[in-house]
Amino acid sequence: MSETVSESATRKERLEFNKLQKRLRRQVGSAIADYNMIEEGDKVMVCLSGGKDSYAMLDVLLGLQKTAPVHFDLVAVNMDQKQPGFPEHVLPNYLDSIGVEYHIVEKDTYSIVKEIIPEGKTTCGLCSRLRRGTLYSFADEIGATKIALGHHRDDIVETLFLNLFYGGKLKAMPPKLLADNGRNLVIRPLAYCKEKDLEAFAEARGFPIIPCNLCGSQENLQRQVIKQMLQDWERSHPGRVETIFSALSNVAPSQLADRQLFDFVSLKPQVMAYEQDPQQQTVVGYIDAVQL
Protein backbone atom coordinates (compact mmCIF):
# COMPACT_ATOMS: atom_id res chain seq x y z
CA MET A 1 0.00 0.00 0.00
CA SER A 2 1.42 3.38 -0.95
CA GLU A 3 2.03 5.82 1.87
CA THR A 4 -0.42 8.66 2.40
CA VAL A 5 0.42 12.32 1.90
CA SER A 6 0.51 12.74 5.68
CA GLU A 7 2.91 9.83 6.12
CA SER A 8 5.14 11.16 3.34
CA ALA A 9 5.25 14.62 4.94
CA THR A 10 6.04 13.12 8.33
CA ARG A 11 8.84 11.04 6.86
CA LYS A 12 10.30 14.12 5.12
CA GLU A 13 10.15 16.15 8.34
CA ARG A 14 11.89 13.35 10.21
CA LEU A 15 14.66 13.20 7.61
CA GLU A 16 15.11 16.98 7.71
CA PHE A 17 15.29 16.93 11.50
CA ASN A 18 17.90 14.16 11.47
CA LYS A 19 20.03 16.17 9.04
CA LEU A 20 19.67 19.27 11.21
CA GLN A 21 20.56 17.39 14.39
CA LYS A 22 23.63 15.82 12.80
CA ARG A 23 24.76 19.20 11.47
CA LEU A 24 24.46 20.85 14.90
CA ARG A 25 26.26 17.97 16.61
CA ARG A 26 29.03 18.09 14.03
CA GLN A 27 29.44 21.86 14.40
CA VAL A 28 29.44 21.72 18.20
CA GLY A 29 31.89 18.82 18.15
CA SER A 30 34.19 20.73 15.80
CA ALA A 31 34.12 23.85 17.97
CA ILE A 32 34.89 21.80 21.09
CA ALA A 33 37.81 20.07 19.34
CA ASP A 34 39.20 23.21 17.67
CA TYR A 35 39.36 25.18 20.92
CA ASN A 36 39.85 22.30 23.37
CA MET A 37 36.71 23.38 25.19
CA ILE A 38 36.05 20.18 27.13
CA GLU A 39 38.70 17.90 28.62
CA GLU A 40 38.81 14.66 30.59
CA GLY A 41 37.12 15.02 33.98
CA ASP A 42 35.56 18.43 33.31
CA LYS A 43 32.43 19.50 35.14
CA VAL A 44 30.62 21.75 32.68
CA MET A 45 28.09 24.21 34.05
CA VAL A 46 25.53 24.70 31.28
CA CYS A 47 23.83 28.07 31.72
CA LEU A 48 20.14 27.87 30.85
CA SER A 49 18.13 31.03 30.26
CA GLY A 50 15.00 29.29 29.02
CA GLY A 51 15.66 30.48 25.47
CA LYS A 52 16.08 28.39 22.32
CA ASP A 53 19.88 28.61 22.23
CA SER A 54 20.62 27.34 25.73
CA TYR A 55 18.04 24.56 25.40
CA ALA A 56 19.67 23.44 22.15
CA MET A 57 23.15 23.65 23.69
CA LEU A 58 22.19 21.37 26.56
CA ASP A 59 20.44 18.94 24.22
CA VAL A 60 23.43 18.66 21.88
CA LEU A 61 25.95 18.38 24.73
CA LEU A 62 23.91 15.56 26.27
CA GLY A 63 24.05 13.73 22.95
CA LEU A 64 27.79 14.27 22.55
CA GLN A 65 28.44 13.22 26.13
CA LYS A 66 27.40 9.67 25.25
CA THR A 67 29.94 9.29 22.45
CA ALA A 68 32.74 11.69 23.42
CA PRO A 69 36.29 10.29 23.70
CA VAL A 70 36.61 11.92 27.14
CA HIS A 71 34.45 11.72 30.25
CA PHE A 72 32.80 14.92 31.44
CA ASP A 73 29.84 15.84 33.62
CA LEU A 74 27.06 18.30 32.84
CA VAL A 75 25.10 20.35 35.36
CA ALA A 76 22.41 22.78 34.24
CA VAL A 77 22.10 26.11 36.05
CA ASN A 78 19.38 28.71 35.67
CA MET A 79 19.38 32.11 37.31
CA ASP A 80 15.98 33.27 38.56
CA GLN A 81 16.31 37.06 38.39
CA LYS A 82 12.90 37.59 40.04
CA GLN A 83 11.24 39.11 37.02
CA PRO A 84 7.51 39.65 37.61
CA GLY A 85 5.51 36.80 36.13
CA PHE A 86 8.54 34.56 35.58
CA PRO A 87 7.24 30.96 35.27
CA GLU A 88 9.44 29.35 37.93
CA HIS A 89 8.10 25.85 37.31
CA VAL A 90 8.97 25.55 33.61
CA LEU A 91 12.69 24.81 33.75
CA PRO A 92 12.60 22.51 36.80
CA ASN A 93 9.80 20.48 35.21
CA TYR A 94 11.70 20.16 31.95
CA LEU A 95 15.02 19.25 33.59
CA ASP A 96 13.32 16.72 35.84
CA SER A 97 11.74 15.13 32.77
CA ILE A 98 15.11 14.55 31.08
CA GLY A 99 16.93 13.56 34.26
CA VAL A 100 19.62 16.25 34.29
CA GLU A 101 21.29 17.52 37.45
CA TYR A 102 20.40 21.18 37.88
CA HIS A 103 20.40 24.18 40.20
CA ILE A 104 18.17 27.27 40.26
CA VAL A 105 20.11 30.29 41.53
CA GLU A 106 17.81 32.96 42.94
CA LYS A 107 19.12 36.52 42.72
CA ASP A 108 16.94 39.63 42.47
CA THR A 109 18.89 41.49 39.79
CA TYR A 110 15.61 42.68 38.25
CA SER A 111 15.05 45.24 41.04
CA ILE A 112 18.65 46.45 40.80
CA VAL A 113 18.43 46.97 37.04
CA LYS A 114 15.09 48.75 37.26
CA GLU A 115 16.39 51.01 40.04
CA ILE A 116 19.57 52.03 38.21
CA ILE A 117 18.55 52.14 34.53
CA PRO A 118 16.10 54.93 33.55
CA GLU A 119 12.85 53.86 31.93
CA GLY A 120 13.25 53.33 28.19
CA LYS A 121 17.03 52.87 28.33
CA THR A 122 18.77 49.63 27.41
CA THR A 123 19.06 47.28 30.39
CA CYS A 124 21.04 44.50 28.69
CA GLY A 125 24.52 45.70 29.69
CA LEU A 126 23.92 45.95 33.42
CA CYS A 127 21.69 42.88 33.47
CA SER A 128 24.32 40.70 31.80
CA ARG A 129 27.10 41.95 34.12
CA LEU A 130 25.07 41.17 37.23
CA ARG A 131 24.06 37.78 35.89
CA ARG A 132 27.60 36.94 34.86
CA GLY A 133 29.05 37.78 38.26
CA THR A 134 26.50 35.64 40.06
CA LEU A 135 27.01 32.67 37.75
CA TYR A 136 30.81 32.87 38.01
CA SER A 137 30.58 32.76 41.81
CA PHE A 138 28.16 29.84 41.71
CA ALA A 139 30.48 27.93 39.35
CA ASP A 140 33.16 28.15 42.03
CA GLU A 141 30.70 26.88 44.66
CA ILE A 142 29.83 23.71 42.75
CA GLY A 143 33.36 23.08 41.46
CA ALA A 144 32.57 23.62 37.78
CA THR A 145 35.69 23.67 35.61
CA LYS A 146 33.97 25.20 32.54
CA ILE A 147 30.99 27.52 32.08
CA ALA A 148 29.06 26.93 28.85
CA LEU A 149 27.12 29.85 27.36
CA GLY A 150 24.66 29.56 24.48
CA HIS A 151 26.05 32.23 22.14
CA HIS A 152 26.00 31.16 18.49
CA ARG A 153 27.75 32.30 15.31
CA ASP A 154 25.32 35.15 14.64
CA ASP A 155 25.70 36.46 18.21
CA ILE A 156 29.46 36.55 17.71
CA VAL A 157 29.27 38.45 14.41
CA GLU A 158 26.68 40.87 15.80
CA THR A 159 28.96 41.60 18.77
CA LEU A 160 31.83 42.32 16.38
CA PHE A 161 29.83 45.08 14.70
CA LEU A 162 28.40 46.38 17.97
CA ASN A 163 31.93 46.93 19.26
CA LEU A 164 33.06 48.32 15.90
CA PHE A 165 30.21 50.79 15.39
CA TYR A 166 29.44 51.81 18.97
CA GLY A 167 32.57 51.02 20.97
CA GLY A 168 35.46 51.78 18.64
CA LYS A 169 36.94 48.33 19.27
CA LEU A 170 37.71 45.42 16.97
CA LYS A 171 36.58 42.53 19.15
CA ALA A 172 33.80 39.98 19.35
CA MET A 173 32.99 36.93 21.53
CA PRO A 174 35.76 34.30 21.54
CA PRO A 175 34.69 30.64 21.53
CA LYS A 176 36.78 30.17 24.67
CA LEU A 177 37.53 32.85 27.25
CA LEU A 178 39.35 33.23 30.53
CA ALA A 179 37.10 35.39 32.70
CA ASP A 180 38.34 38.66 34.15
CA ASN A 181 38.64 37.04 37.57
CA GLY A 182 41.28 34.69 36.15
CA ARG A 183 39.53 31.62 37.59
CA ASN A 184 36.62 30.75 35.33
CA LEU A 185 36.90 29.35 31.80
CA VAL A 186 33.94 30.27 29.63
CA ILE A 187 33.15 28.20 26.52
CA ARG A 188 30.69 28.76 23.68
CA PRO A 189 30.00 25.35 22.11
CA LEU A 190 27.49 26.85 19.63
CA ALA A 191 30.13 29.16 18.10
CA TYR A 192 29.86 27.46 14.68
CA CYS A 193 26.03 27.16 14.70
CA LYS A 194 23.62 29.40 12.78
CA GLU A 195 20.73 31.01 14.63
CA LYS A 196 18.18 29.84 12.06
CA ASP A 197 19.29 26.23 12.58
CA LEU A 198 18.87 26.62 16.34
CA GLU A 199 15.40 28.11 15.84
CA ALA A 200 14.37 25.17 13.67
CA PHE A 201 15.85 22.69 16.14
CA ALA A 202 14.07 24.27 19.12
CA GLU A 203 10.75 24.20 17.28
CA ALA A 204 11.18 20.58 16.25
CA ARG A 205 12.15 19.52 19.77
CA GLY A 206 9.33 21.51 21.35
CA PHE A 207 11.42 23.19 24.04
CA PRO A 208 9.33 25.15 26.60
CA ILE A 209 10.67 28.60 25.71
CA ILE A 210 10.60 31.32 28.37
CA PRO A 211 10.67 34.87 26.91
CA CYS A 212 12.82 37.51 28.59
CA ASN A 213 10.44 40.18 29.89
CA LEU A 214 13.25 42.29 31.32
CA CYS A 215 15.14 43.20 28.15
CA GLY A 216 13.68 41.11 25.34
CA SER A 217 10.65 43.38 25.06
CA GLN A 218 12.74 46.50 24.48
CA GLU A 219 12.64 47.90 20.98
CA ASN A 220 15.30 49.72 18.96
CA LEU A 221 18.18 48.06 20.76
CA GLN A 222 21.54 48.53 19.06
CA ARG A 223 21.82 44.75 18.67
CA GLN A 224 18.51 44.66 16.81
CA VAL A 225 19.81 47.28 14.40
CA ILE A 226 22.94 45.22 13.76
CA LYS A 227 20.91 42.02 13.41
CA GLN A 228 18.70 43.64 10.77
CA MET A 229 21.76 44.93 8.90
CA LEU A 230 23.30 41.46 8.78
CA GLN A 231 20.02 39.88 7.69
CA ASP A 232 19.78 42.39 4.84
CA TRP A 233 23.35 41.61 3.80
CA GLU A 234 22.69 37.88 3.92
CA ARG A 235 19.64 38.24 1.69
CA SER A 236 21.46 40.29 -0.93
CA HIS A 237 24.79 38.43 -0.59
CA PRO A 238 24.22 34.88 0.71
CA GLY A 239 27.19 33.59 2.69
CA ARG A 240 28.45 37.01 3.77
CA VAL A 241 27.90 36.39 7.50
CA GLU A 242 29.83 33.12 7.28
CA THR A 243 32.68 34.95 5.53
CA ILE A 244 32.75 37.60 8.26
CA PHE A 245 32.84 34.90 10.93
CA SER A 246 35.72 33.16 9.12
CA ALA A 247 37.63 36.44 9.16
CA LEU A 248 37.63 36.38 12.96
CA SER A 249 39.94 33.36 12.86
CA ASN A 250 42.07 34.70 10.01
CA VAL A 251 43.54 37.90 11.45
CA ALA A 252 46.60 39.70 10.02
CA PRO A 253 47.88 41.98 12.85
CA SER A 254 50.43 43.69 10.58
CA GLN A 255 47.57 44.89 8.37
CA LEU A 256 45.71 46.63 11.19
CA ALA A 257 46.91 49.46 13.45
CA ASP A 258 47.16 48.03 16.97
CA ARG A 259 50.67 48.72 18.32
CA GLN A 260 50.14 46.11 21.04
CA LEU A 261 49.62 43.35 18.46
CA PHE A 262 52.36 44.35 16.02
CA ASP A 263 55.66 46.18 16.53
CA PHE A 264 55.18 49.03 14.07
CA VAL A 265 57.70 51.25 15.92
CA SER A 266 60.66 48.95 15.24
CA LEU A 267 59.65 48.16 11.66
CA LYS A 268 62.47 48.90 9.17
CA PRO A 269 62.79 48.47 5.42
CA GLN A 270 64.85 45.62 4.05
CA VAL A 271 66.73 45.35 0.75
CA MET A 272 67.99 42.38 -1.19
CA ALA A 273 71.70 41.58 -1.31
CA TYR A 274 72.83 39.62 -4.38
CA GLU A 275 75.93 37.54 -4.99
CA GLN A 276 76.99 38.34 -8.51
CA ASP A 277 77.41 35.34 -10.83
CA PRO A 278 78.37 35.49 -14.50
CA GLN A 279 75.27 33.54 -15.47
CA GLN A 280 72.69 34.65 -12.87
CA GLN A 281 72.04 36.58 -9.66
CA THR A 282 71.67 34.43 -6.56
CA VAL A 283 69.89 35.75 -3.48
CA VAL A 284 72.11 35.34 -0.41
CA GLY A 285 69.87 37.04 2.15
CA TYR A 286 68.25 40.20 3.47
CA ILE A 287 70.28 43.07 4.88
CA ASP A 288 68.69 45.89 6.86
CA ALA A 289 68.96 49.10 4.88
CA VAL A 290 70.43 50.90 7.87
CA GLN A 291 73.40 48.49 7.83
CA LEU A 292 74.35 49.17 4.20
Side-chain angles (χ1 to χ4, degrees):
M1 181 183 296
S2 60
E3 62 181 359
T4 65
V5 173
S6 178
E7 289 172 339
S8 177
T10 301
R11 182 172 178 273
K12 182 178 179 181
E13 290 173 359
R14 189 164 57 248
L15 288 173
E16 288 300 317
F17 173 76
N18 288 339
K19 287 169 57 178
L20 173 61
Q21 186 176 51
K22 289 179 180 178
R23 180 163 65 250
L24 290 175
R25 287 186 176 182
R26 182 177 66 251
Q27 290 170 339
V28 171
S30 295
I32 290 173
D34 288 349
Y35 293 92
N36 193 30
M37 291 185 184
I38 299 178
E39 302 170 89
E40 178 68 35
D42 268 340
K43 183 174 185 178
V44 182
M45 187 175 97
V46 182
C47 297
L48 286 185
S49 65
K52 67 182 189 311
D53 305 324
S54 57
Y55 273 124
M57 175 174 62
L58 176 62
D59 191 285
V60 174
L61 287 176
L62 286 170
L64 291 176
Q65 186 184 38
K66 299 173 183 177
T67 58
V70 297
H71 170 79
F72 63 93
D73 295 317
L74 297 172
V75 54
V77 174
N78 168 255
M79 184 173 165
D80 181 355
Q81 298 175 265
K82 298 305 176 183
Q83 300 174 33
F86 181 77
E88 298 178 357
H89 65 286
V90 172
L91 273 168
N93 288 350
Y94 172 75
L95 295 169
D96 282 333
S97 72
I98 62 174
V100 173
E101 178 188 352
Y102 69 91
H103 299 274
I104 306 296
V105 181
E106 297 186 6
K107 183 78 171 182
D108 186 5
T109 60
Y110 177 86
S111 297
I112 298 174
V113 170
K114 285 300 184 181
E115 180 180 346
I116 295 177
I117 304 297
E119 191 66 31
K121 296 294 183 179
T122 303
T123 61
C124 296
L126 177 59
C127 178
S128 62
R129 286 195 298 274
L130 292 171
R131 186 171 62 248
R132 188 163 56 241
T134 301
L135 290 172
Y136 285 178
S137 296
F138 190 72
D140 291 337
E141 290 181 28
I142 64 174
T145 55
K146 304 286 173 59
I147 301 173
L149 303 181
H151 299 122
H152 46 68
R153 183 205 66 175
D154 299 77
D155 286 327
I156 293 172
V157 174
E158 288 165 13
T159 302
L160 170 69
F161 283 98
L162 277 170
N163 284 316
L164 184 65
F165 291 167
Y166 302 108
K169 296 180 180 179
L170 194 59
K171 70 174 188 176
M173 292 175 173
K176 186 177 181 181
L177 171 72
L178 180 63
D180 292 338
N181 60 23
R183 298 191 312 272
N184 301 111
L185 270 175
V186 176
I187 59 174
R188 296 183 169 99
L190 301 181
Y192 292 170
C193 301
K194 300 176 183 179
E195 183 173 21
K196 68 176 183 179
D197 281 348
L198 295 168
E199 289 175 347
F201 186 73
E203 182 178 355
R205 295 285 282 120
F207 297 136
I209 305 299
I210 302 174
C212 178
N213 297 320
L214 179 60
C215 60
S217 59
Q218 290 180 298
E219 298 179 355
N220 302 320
L221 296 177
Q222 293 172 342
R223 184 173 288 275
Q224 295 303 320
V225 174
I226 297 297
K227 183 185 288 290
Q228 186 60 55
M229 179 193 75
L230 292 173
Q231 289 175 350
D232 292 342
W233 282 359
E234 191 66 21
R235 277 192 293 269
S236 58
H237 302 281
R240 174 168 287 186
V241 174
E242 186 63 37
T243 300
I244 295 170
F245 180 78
S246 297
L248 291 174
S249 59
N250 188 23
V251 178
S254 65
Q255 306 305 302
L256 298 175
D258 192 326
R259 288 171 294 168
Q260 301 299 315
L261 291 180
F262 188 81
D263 187 8
F264 293 100
V265 174
S266 301
L267 195 62
K268 296 181 176 67
Q270 295 178 325
V271 297
M272 287 291 229
Y274 293 96
E275 180 180 18
Q276 295 297 325
D277 184 275
Q279 302 297 324
Q280 61 182 3
Q281 290 183 328
T282 305
V283 177
V284 295
Y286 286 103
I287 300 178
D288 287 339
V290 294
Q291 296 177 342
L292 294 180

